[in-house]
């Protein structure tokens, strides 16, 4: 329907009639036609569309006309919200093309009702007289929200201490073993996305879905006919982080606190995991002691000679801790932390044993801890593998795509 696209984006087309200040642009029409062709033929397309081209409409018009399942991925959640709340309804309204549109964010953006209940119970348990006003506001909002998207709560920001306490991570989520699974906002958002014609995601989530196939939360890409990546210039850096590996002291500490908490809640005795937990603590300290001070990220080789053996000792300590937890109890919440200990040990071992061709290994220290990382030199092969595994039309667009 090339003629159709021409007419839609023309001076007397529906967009011009519906949108004050809409001016037809030759570049926009050319891009829209190229996108339409890519969608029809299921071929890849790269479009550098400078500022002022109107690239959002140039990919939304053919996407909404195609009658296909389209995934649009943006660089930021702000842009996601704008597409969902403003741009898509405008274009769909002008075209008279009713589309089922879903907005899907990473799980850390949704309220975890299980963890909120725990947080509220904890306050009651400790007999806290002065209620945290933000927590009180959250409780009220939680009772009525349809989406569980924390962006709806005024005054709540990701940096606040409360945020991680009322959201779940892939590590601490109990999945189908959770008592609140039936009313889980993450599950609901995924289900909504599975049934939509147009799903708006962000690059972080898209890469997580490609790389991790989030356990038990469905495959986003499996059913997409087309994937349109806006702000595509951010992909190389993001993919490098995703396909690399990272371990932070904080992950180790969180593992220890969550293991203790899960065991106590399950009525177990801390004595059973005490020695193993102390070994992990000591091993974390020993790694930190071999690292250069100062917060800058440095090459692994700049650290002390003992770093390699200290890291391998920490790998062993994490595995032992996981085994001790598993021996102490078979409860789902405890088993989840035990499994996580094994996973973290694996990540750390991958960094420790990476050869010179695998990538650059880095160390970073802060006042409280450290982060060890592996950044692969070349992500093109893995990324290409993921793209070819999903035979959809892949459209990459940004104002700045070309290099040099």
């Amino acid at each position: 329907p090339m003629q159709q696209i021409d007419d839609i984006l023309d001076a007397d087309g529906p967009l011009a009639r519906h949108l004050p200040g809409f001016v037809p642009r030759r570049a926009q029409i050319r891009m829209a036609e190229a996108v339409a062709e890519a969608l029809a033929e299921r071929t890849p397309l790269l479009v550098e569309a400078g500022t002022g081209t109107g690239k959002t409409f140039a990919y939304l018009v053919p996407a909404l006309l195609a009658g296909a399942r389209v995934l649009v991925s943006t660089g930021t959640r702000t842009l996601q919200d704008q597409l969902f709340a403003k741009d898509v309804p405008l274009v769909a309204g002008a075209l008279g093309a009713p589309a089922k549109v879903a907005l899907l964010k990473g799980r850390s953006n949704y309220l975890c009702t299980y963890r909120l209940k725990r947080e509220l119970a904890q306050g009651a348990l400790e007999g806290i007289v002065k209620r945290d006003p933000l927590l009180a506001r959250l409780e009220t909002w939680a009772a009525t929200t349809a989406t569980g998207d924390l962006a709806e709560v005024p005054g709540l920001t990701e940096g606040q201490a409360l945020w991680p306490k009322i959201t779940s991570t892939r590590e601490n989520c109990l999945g189908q073993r959770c008592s609140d699974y039936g009313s889980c906002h993450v599950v609901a958002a995924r289900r909504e996305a599975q049934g939509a014609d147009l799903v708006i995601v962000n690059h972080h989530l898209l890469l997580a879905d490609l790389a991790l196939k989030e356990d038990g939360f469905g495959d986003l890409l499996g059913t997409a006919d087309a994937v349109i990546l806006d702000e595509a210039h951010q992909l190389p850096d993001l993919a490098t982080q995703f396909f690399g590996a990272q371990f932070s002291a904080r992950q180790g500490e969180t593992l220890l606190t969550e293991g203790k908490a899960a065991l106590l809640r399950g009525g177990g005795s801390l004595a059973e995991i005490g020695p193993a937990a102390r070994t992990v603590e000591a091993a974390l300290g020993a790694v930190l002691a071999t690292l250069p001070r100062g917060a800058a990220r440095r090459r692994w080789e700049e650290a002390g000679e003992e770093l390699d053996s200290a890291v391998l000792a920490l790998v062993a300590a994490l595995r032992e801790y996981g085994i001790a937890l598993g021996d102490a109890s078979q409860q789902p919440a405890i088993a989840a932390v035990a499994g996580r200990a094994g996973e973290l040990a694996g990540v750390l071992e991958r960094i420790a044993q990476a050869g010179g061709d695998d990538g650059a290994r880095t160390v970073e220290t802060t006042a409280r801890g450290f982060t060890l990382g592996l950044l692969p030199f070349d992500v093109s092969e893995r990324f290409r593998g993921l793209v070819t595994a999903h035979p959809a039309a892949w459209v990459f667009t940004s104002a700045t795509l070309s290099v040099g």
Side-chain angles (χ1 to χ4, degrees), residues 229-285:
L229 297 102
D230 199 341
E231 305 296 300
H233 62 277
Q234 298 177 1
L235 279 172
D237 283 351
L238 284 170
T240 302
Q241 288 169 30
F242 255 96
F243 298 144
Q246 243 191 1
F247 175 90
S248 70
R250 193 166 161 197
Q251 288 174 299
E253 286 153 13
T254 305
L255 190 73
L256 293 175
T257 28
E258 299 214 319
K260 270 184 210 159
L263 201 56
L264 282 175
R265 270 201 305 279
S269 135
L270 289 185
E272 297 183 65
I273 61 162
R278 284 191 289 278
T279 309
V280 172
E281 271 168 28
L284 283 166

Side-chain angles (χ1 to χ4, degrees), residues 11 69 101-102 140 144 155 218 255 261 278 301 315 323 342 359 401:
R69 253 183 71 80
V101 184
T140 314
T144 58
L255 190 73
R278 284 191 289 278
E301 292 70 27
V315 170
I323 292 166
L401 272 186

Side-chain angles (χ1 to χ4, degrees), residues 290-292 300-308:
T290 68
L291 297 174
W300 180 282
E301 292 70 27
E302 288 177 46
E305 291 286 301
E306 303 81 40
L307 176 60
D308 285 318

